[in-house]
Amino acid sequence: MIGTTPVAEGHTLTIEQAAEVLQCDTDTAAVRFNSGELPGVKFGRRWVIPAPAFFKRLNELALEEAERRRNQLAEERAAAAARAKSPQAISVREPAAARGRKRQPLPVLPQLPNAVSRGVPA
């Protein structure tokens, strides 16, 4: 039952009822019907939506979207596994001498005053 109108085999829905089922604004639902993504017939200014066709298409869309999400997840997992197995994935840096460069000498640091003279206990 949608709102106060029972939906049974062979009944039709209004755009408002379809929007209620989809939990969206009527304008959003109208865009989907206008694009042909959802089944409906426009008589004048009103949409008449066969309930069985609407729910059948809604089920098809849900299954298609679930399949698309599963495929995307599988592709992401395969790409991650390929990156993990790739020799380029392990970043090993060559020593400086192997790259043809000498190491820079460490800088000479100034001597710090004795800690006791600064009032810091040893």
PDB file of all heavy atoms in Angstrom, residues 20-41:
ATOM      1  N   GLU A  20       7.105   8.657  -4.101  1.00  0.00           N
ATOM      2  CA  GLU A  20       7.050   8.204  -2.716  1.00  0.00           C
ATOM      3  C   GLU A  20       7.754   6.858  -2.561  1.00  0.00           C
ATOM      4  O   GLU A  20       8.510   6.650  -1.614  1.00  0.00           O
ATOM      5  CB  GLU A  20       5.590   8.096  -2.253  1.00  0.00           C
ATOM      6  CG  GLU A  20       5.436   7.759  -0.781  1.00  0.00           C
ATOM      7  CD  GLU A  20       3.977   7.669  -0.355  1.00  0.00           C
ATOM      8  OE1 GLU A  20       3.118   8.283  -1.009  1.00  0.00           O
ATOM      9  OE2 GLU A  20       3.708   6.971   0.635  1.00  0.00           O
ATOM     10  N   VAL A  21       7.523   5.956  -3.497  1.00  0.00           N
ATOM     11  CA  VAL A  21       8.193   4.645  -3.464  1.00  0.00           C
ATOM     12  C   VAL A  21       9.699   4.831  -3.600  1.00  0.00           C
ATOM     13  O   VAL A  21      10.483   4.192  -2.901  1.00  0.00           O
ATOM     14  CB  VAL A  21       7.663   3.726  -4.591  1.00  0.00           C
ATOM     15  CG1 VAL A  21       8.524   2.481  -4.738  1.00  0.00           C
ATOM     16  CG2 VAL A  21       6.220   3.347  -4.329  1.00  0.00           C
ATOM     17  N   LEU A  22      10.116   5.719  -4.506  1.00  0.00           N
ATOM     18  CA  LEU A  22      11.540   5.966  -4.747  1.00  0.00           C
ATOM     19  C   LEU A  22      12.174   6.839  -3.673  1.00  0.00           C
ATOM     20  O   LEU A  22      13.383   7.021  -3.652  1.00  0.00           O
ATOM     21  CB  LEU A  22      11.721   6.635  -6.118  1.00  0.00           C
ATOM     22  CG  LEU A  22      11.270   5.806  -7.313  1.00  0.00           C
ATOM     23  CD1 LEU A  22      11.293   6.660  -8.580  1.00  0.00           C
ATOM     24  CD2 LEU A  22      12.140   4.574  -7.475  1.00  0.00           C
ATOM     25  N   GLN A  23      11.342   7.397  -2.806  1.00  0.00           N
ATOM     26  CA  GLN A  23      11.784   8.296  -1.738  1.00  0.00           C
ATOM     27  C   GLN A  23      12.588   9.461  -2.318  1.00  0.00           C
ATOM     28  O   GLN A  23      13.708   9.753  -1.908  1.00  0.00           O
ATOM     29  CB  GLN A  23      12.603   7.537  -0.688  1.00  0.00           C
ATOM     30  CG  GLN A  23      11.794   6.480   0.010  1.00  0.00           C
ATOM     31  CD  GLN A  23      12.598   5.717   1.042  1.00  0.00           C
ATOM     32  OE1 GLN A  23      13.783   5.935   1.230  1.00  0.00           O
ATOM     33  NE2 GLN A  23      11.935   4.799   1.719  1.00  0.00           N
ATOM     34  N   CYS A  24      11.985  10.102  -3.320  1.00  0.00           N
ATOM     35  CA  CYS A  24      12.618  11.259  -3.956  1.00  0.00           C
ATOM     36  C   CYS A  24      11.549  12.296  -4.290  1.00  0.00           C
ATOM     37  O   CYS A  24      10.363  12.054  -4.114  1.00  0.00           O
ATOM     38  CB  CYS A  24      13.374  10.843  -5.219  1.00  0.00           C
ATOM     39  SG  CYS A  24      12.323  10.297  -6.571  1.00  0.00           S
ATOM     40  N   ASP A  25      11.993  13.421  -4.792  1.00  0.00           N
ATOM     41  CA  ASP A  25      11.098  14.491  -5.195  1.00  0.00           C
ATOM     42  C   ASP A  25      10.379  14.102  -6.482  1.00  0.00           C
ATOM     43  O   ASP A  25      10.911  13.328  -7.292  1.00  0.00           O
ATOM     44  CB  ASP A  25      11.926  15.762  -5.407  1.00  0.00           C
ATOM     45  CG  ASP A  25      11.065  16.980  -5.605  1.00  0.00           C
ATOM     46  OD1 ASP A  25      10.288  17.297  -4.686  1.00  0.00           O
ATOM     47  OD2 ASP A  25      11.168  17.599  -6.678  1.00  0.00           O
ATOM     48  N   THR A  26       9.185  14.628  -6.701  1.00  0.00           N
ATOM     49  CA  THR A  26       8.445  14.297  -7.923  1.00  0.00           C
ATOM     50  C   THR A  26       9.185  14.762  -9.173  1.00  0.00           C
ATOM     51  O   THR A  26       9.112  14.102 -10.209  1.00  0.00           O
ATOM     52  CB  THR A  26       7.028  14.903  -7.908  1.00  0.00           C
ATOM     53  OG1 THR A  26       7.124  16.296  -7.673  1.00  0.00           O
ATOM     54  CG2 THR A  26       6.170  14.259  -6.842  1.00  0.00           C
ATOM     55  N   ASP A  27       9.912  15.884  -9.081  1.00  0.00           N
ATOM     56  CA  ASP A  27      10.690  16.351 -10.234  1.00  0.00           C
ATOM     57  C   ASP A  27      11.804  15.362 -10.586  1.00  0.00           C
ATOM     58  O   ASP A  27      12.068  15.105 -11.760  1.00  0.00           O
ATOM     59  CB  ASP A  27      11.302  17.730  -9.968  1.00  0.00           C
ATOM     60  CG  ASP A  27      10.248  18.820  -9.883  1.00  0.00           C
ATOM     61  OD1 ASP A  27       9.144  18.618 -10.437  1.00  0.00           O
ATOM     62  OD2 ASP A  27      10.518  19.864  -9.257  1.00  0.00           O
ATOM     63  N   THR A  28      12.442  14.800  -9.575  1.00  0.00           N
ATOM     64  CA  THR A  28      13.497  13.806  -9.801  1.00  0.00           C
ATOM     65  C   THR A  28      12.913  12.565 -10.467  1.00  0.00           C
ATOM     66  O   THR A  28      13.491  12.023 -11.413  1.00  0.00           O
ATOM     67  CB  THR A  28      14.169  13.426  -8.469  1.00  0.00           C
ATOM     68  OG1 THR A  28      14.653  14.617  -7.849  1.00  0.00           O
ATOM     69  CG2 THR A  28      15.308  12.460  -8.680  1.00  0.00           C
ATOM     70  N   ALA A  29      11.760  12.116  -9.982  1.00  0.00           N
ATOM     71  CA  ALA A  29      11.101  10.954 -10.591  1.00  0.00           C
ATOM     72  C   ALA A  29      10.701  11.272 -12.027  1.00  0.00           C
ATOM     73  O   ALA A  29      10.877  10.439 -12.928  1.00  0.00           O
ATOM     74  CB  ALA A  29       9.880  10.552  -9.769  1.00  0.00           C
ATOM     75  N   ALA A  30      10.184  12.477 -12.269  1.00  0.00           N
ATOM     76  CA  ALA A  30       9.770  12.863 -13.623  1.00  0.00           C
ATOM     77  C   ALA A  30      10.941  12.825 -14.597  1.00  0.00           C
ATOM     78  O   ALA A  30      10.778  12.420 -15.755  1.00  0.00           O
ATOM     79  CB  ALA A  30       9.136  14.247 -13.597  1.00  0.00           C
ATOM     80  N   VAL A  31      12.113  13.221 -14.144  1.00  0.00           N
ATOM     81  CA  VAL A  31      13.307  13.165 -15.006  1.00  0.00           C
ATOM     82  C   VAL A  31      13.575  11.725 -15.419  1.00  0.00           C
ATOM     83  O   VAL A  31      13.878  11.442 -16.583  1.00  0.00           O
ATOM     84  CB  VAL A  31      14.534  13.769 -14.275  1.00  0.00           C
ATOM     85  CG1 VAL A  31      15.819  13.462 -15.007  1.00  0.00           C
ATOM     86  CG2 VAL A  31      14.354  15.265 -14.103  1.00  0.00           C
ATOM     87  N   ARG A  32      13.452  10.791 -14.486  1.00  0.00           N
ATOM     88  CA  ARG A  32      13.686   9.370 -14.792  1.00  0.00           C
ATOM     89  C   ARG A  32      12.637   8.821 -15.758  1.00  0.00           C
ATOM     90  O   ARG A  32      12.940   8.020 -16.627  1.00  0.00           O
ATOM     91  CB  ARG A  32      13.701   8.537 -13.513  1.00  0.00           C
ATOM     92  CG  ARG A  32      14.794   8.906 -12.534  1.00  0.00           C
ATOM     93  CD  ARG A  32      16.148   8.492 -13.072  1.00  0.00           C
ATOM     94  NE  ARG A  32      17.216   8.867 -12.190  1.00  0.00           N
ATOM     95  CZ  ARG A  32      17.924   8.014 -11.461  1.00  0.00           C
ATOM     96  NH1 ARG A  32      17.665   6.729 -11.518  1.00  0.00           N
ATOM     97  NH2 ARG A  32      18.882   8.452 -10.692  1.00  0.00           N
ATOM     98  N   PHE A  33      11.399   9.257 -15.610  1.00  0.00           N
ATOM     99  CA  PHE A  33      10.351   8.807 -16.525  1.00  0.00           C
ATOM    100  C   PHE A  33      10.530   9.442 -17.895  1.00  0.00           C
ATOM    101  O   PHE A  33      10.380   8.785 -18.916  1.00  0.00           O
ATOM    102  CB  PHE A  33       8.959   9.102 -15.955  1.00  0.00           C
ATOM    103  CG  PHE A  33       8.578   8.179 -14.829  1.00  0.00           C
ATOM    104  CD1 PHE A  33       8.604   8.616 -13.510  1.00  0.00           C
ATOM    105  CD2 PHE A  33       8.206   6.875 -15.074  1.00  0.00           C
ATOM    106  CE1 PHE A  33       8.274   7.769 -12.474  1.00  0.00           C
ATOM    107  CE2 PHE A  33       7.871   6.011 -14.046  1.00  0.00           C
ATOM    108  CZ  PHE A  33       7.908   6.468 -12.742  1.00  0.00           C
ATOM    109  N   ASN A  34      10.864  10.738 -17.932  1.00  0.00           N
ATOM    110  CA  ASN A  34      11.085  11.424 -19.214  1.00  0.00           C
ATOM    111  C   ASN A  34      12.243  10.808 -19.998  1.00  0.00           C
ATOM    112  O   ASN A  34      12.200  10.743 -21.220  1.00  0.00           O
ATOM    113  CB  ASN A  34      11.372  12.917 -19.001  1.00  0.00           C
ATOM    114  CG  ASN A  34      10.109  13.715 -18.821  1.00  0.00           C
ATOM    115  OD1 ASN A  34       9.095  13.440 -19.438  1.00  0.00           O
ATOM    116  ND2 ASN A  34      10.172  14.716 -17.949  1.00  0.00           N
ATOM    117  N   SER A  35      13.285  10.369 -19.287  1.00  0.00           N
ATOM    118  CA  SER A  35      14.452   9.790 -19.965  1.00  0.00           C
ATOM    119  C   SER A  35      14.181   8.369 -20.449  1.00  0.00           C
ATOM    120  O   SER A  35      14.954   7.829 -21.232  1.00  0.00           O
ATOM    121  CB  SER A  35      15.656   9.780 -19.025  1.00  0.00           C
ATOM    122  OG  SER A  35      15.487   8.812 -17.995  1.00  0.00           O
ATOM    123  N   GLY A  36      13.097   7.771 -19.976  1.00  0.00           N
ATOM    124  CA  GLY A  36      12.786   6.394 -20.364  1.00  0.00           C
ATOM    125  C   GLY A  36      13.433   5.363 -19.456  1.00  0.00           C
ATOM    126  O   GLY A  36      13.299   4.162 -19.681  1.00  0.00           O
ATOM    127  N   GLU A  37      14.138   5.813 -18.436  1.00  0.00           N
ATOM    128  CA  GLU A  37      14.769   4.879 -17.506  1.00  0.00           C
ATOM    129  C   GLU A  37      13.717   4.098 -16.718  1.00  0.00           C
ATOM    130  O   GLU A  37      13.924   2.940 -16.379  1.00  0.00           O
ATOM    131  CB  GLU A  37      15.698   5.639 -16.564  1.00  0.00           C
ATOM    132  CG  GLU A  37      16.534   4.747 -15.692  1.00  0.00           C
ATOM    133  CD  GLU A  37      17.533   5.521 -14.852  1.00  0.00           C
ATOM    134  OE1 GLU A  37      17.692   6.732 -15.031  1.00  0.00           O
ATOM    135  OE2 GLU A  37      18.146   4.879 -14.002  1.00  0.00           O
ATOM    136  N   LEU A  38      12.609   4.761 -16.436  1.00  0.00           N
ATOM    137  CA  LEU A  38      11.496   4.103 -15.759  1.00  0.00           C
ATOM    138  C   LEU A  38      10.283   4.110 -16.689  1.00  0.00           C
ATOM    139  O   LEU A  38      10.072   5.070 -17.431  1.00  0.00           O
ATOM    140  CB  LEU A  38      11.161   4.837 -14.451  1.00  0.00           C
ATOM    141  CG  LEU A  38      12.226   4.767 -13.361  1.00  0.00           C
ATOM    142  CD1 LEU A  38      11.849   5.659 -12.186  1.00  0.00           C
ATOM    143  CD2 LEU A  38      12.432   3.346 -12.883  1.00  0.00           C
ATOM    144  N   PRO A  39       9.473   3.046 -16.655  1.00  0.00           N
ATOM    145  CA  PRO A  39       8.346   2.942 -17.583  1.00  0.00           C
ATOM    146  C   PRO A  39       7.150   3.772 -17.134  1.00  0.00           C
ATOM    147  O   PRO A  39       6.800   3.807 -15.962  1.00  0.00           O
ATOM    148  CB  PRO A  39       8.008   1.451 -17.553  1.00  0.00           C
ATOM    149  CG  PRO A  39       8.406   1.013 -16.185  1.00  0.00           C
ATOM    150  CD  PRO A  39       9.613   1.841 -15.836  1.00  0.00           C
ATOM    151  N   GLY A  40       6.569   4.444 -18.081  1.00  0.00           N
ATOM    152  CA  GLY A  40       5.375   5.233 -17.800  1.00  0.00           C
ATOM    153  C   GLY A  40       4.843   5.823 -19.094  1.00  0.00           C
ATOM    154  O   GLY A  40       5.545   5.890 -20.102  1.00  0.00           O
ATOM    155  N   VAL A  41       3.589   6.231 -19.058  1.00  0.00           N
ATOM    156  CA  VAL A  41       2.940   6.832 -20.221  1.00  0.00           C
ATOM    157  C   VAL A  41       2.453   8.206 -19.791  1.00  0.00           C
ATOM    158  O   VAL A  41       1.821   8.347 -18.744  1.00  0.00           O
ATOM    159  CB  VAL A  41       1.753   5.968 -20.692  1.00  0.00           C
ATOM    160  CG1 VAL A  41       1.073   6.592 -21.890  1.00  0.00           C
ATOM    161  CG2 VAL A  41       2.201   4.547 -20.980  1.00  0.00           C
TER     162      VAL A  41
END
